[in-house]
Structures are given as C-alpha cells and as structure tokens.
Amino acid sequence: MKTTPQTHACPCGRLHRHKPLVYQDCCGRWLESDTPAPDAQSLMRSRYSAFVLERRDYLLGTWHASHRPAQLEFESGVKWLGLDVRQYRLVDDCHAEVEFIARQKPAGAPAVRLHERSHFVLEAGRWYYAEGDMQ
C-alpha cells in the first residue's frame, strides 16, 4: 500500500479555484475514514485515488456486492498519470453514471487511456461502484 501525505495534491486531480485540492480535503476524507463519499462522482474519484495508492480494502468495500471480485491484485510498476472526469449524470435517486478517462503507464510499456462510463448505485446511504462500460 502506498501513502500520500495529507498535504500533497490529491491523486484524483480535483481542482478548487483552479488549484489542486490537497489529499486530506479531497479523497482522503473518504479513504482515511468510514465516512461514505457523498455522491457517485466523489466515490469514483476516491476509487481512482485508491487505485493509485493501492488501497485494496477501500476498493473492494466500495464495489457493489453483485459485481465485486473475490480478490483484487495490483499490477506491479504501474504509474497512474491522471484522471479526467468527462461527465457526471444522476440517473435517478439511486443510480448515477460517471464517464472518465484515466491514464496509466504499465512498467515497460507505453502509456494507455482507460475510457469508461461507470455505473453507481446508492444503497443504505452509501454509493457503490456497480460496473463500467469501456468506451
């Protein structure tokens, strides 16, 4: 598991007044506590940060049970290069979609773009990642 100092820029790249939010004021609020992300976009951003920081328990805990893998392994040497949220859409009171592009560079390979439309569900006051459609 990797760590990000609380006062460094959050891996998700969220901005406030054109400046990066620090980890403790952004995804750190959800990753470092039991407080649920308030909306699907915040959950998606925190899940990206969890991939960057290799927070397996957080990722599995925020994955909807109907689609959650039994285990999750991280690819060695991957460098995450950034996140671009393209669209956030509240479908109804309990469903949302987030379209994003995440960039990564696997060890010894060219950088790749992961373009996905993710589907989220709200259950018992918590948002969960259900599944995604690669674009």
Side-chain angles (χ1 to χ4, degrees):
M1 180 170 63
K2 300 174 184 176
T3 60
T4 292
Q6 297 290 315
T7 56
H8 284 194
C10 188
C12 85
R14 185 175 271 187
L15 301 174
H16 179 69
R17 295 184 181 168
H18 306 291
K19 293 183 181 179
L21 281 174
V22 296
Y23 177 70
Q24 70 186 9
D25 295 334
C26 193
C27 295
R29 295 179 288 177
W30 326 128
L31 283 155
E32 305 298 335
S33 72
D34 193 38
T35 304
D39 54 57
Q41 181 178 181
S42 295
L43 178 60
M44 193 283 309
R45 287 179 171 282
S46 69
R47 286 177 55 83
Y48 172 85
S49 293
F51 273 106
V52 172
L53 300 172
E54 298 183 353
R55 299 290 182 88
R56 180 179 291 109
D57 290 345
Y58 183 82
L59 289 164
L60 291 172
T62 57
W63 220 310
H64 192 269
S66 64
H67 296 283
R68 183 182 308 130
Q71 59 184 1
L72 177 64
E73 298 300 323
F74 297 102
E75 189 177 334
S76 179
V78 169
K79 179 172 174 65
W80 290 91
L81 304 173
L83 174 69
D84 178 22
V85 174
R86 294 289 175 97
Q87 182 181 38
Y88 169 66
R89 183 171 78 95
L90 195 59
V91 177
D92 59 35
D93 290 344
C94 297
H95 298 89
E97 294 178 346
V98 179
E99 179 183 356
F100 69 90
I101 295 175
R103 294 176 292 114
Q104 63 167 229
K105 184 175 183 329
V112 295
R113 295 171 71 228
L114 307 169
H115 187 176
E116 180 177 300
R117 181 176 300 278
S118 297
H119 305 279
F120 295 85
V121 62
L122 180 66
E123 286 185 358
R126 286 186 178 264
W127 283 99
Y128 292 93
Y129 169 76
E131 61 186 337
D133 301 320
M134 297 302 284
Q135 304 290 300

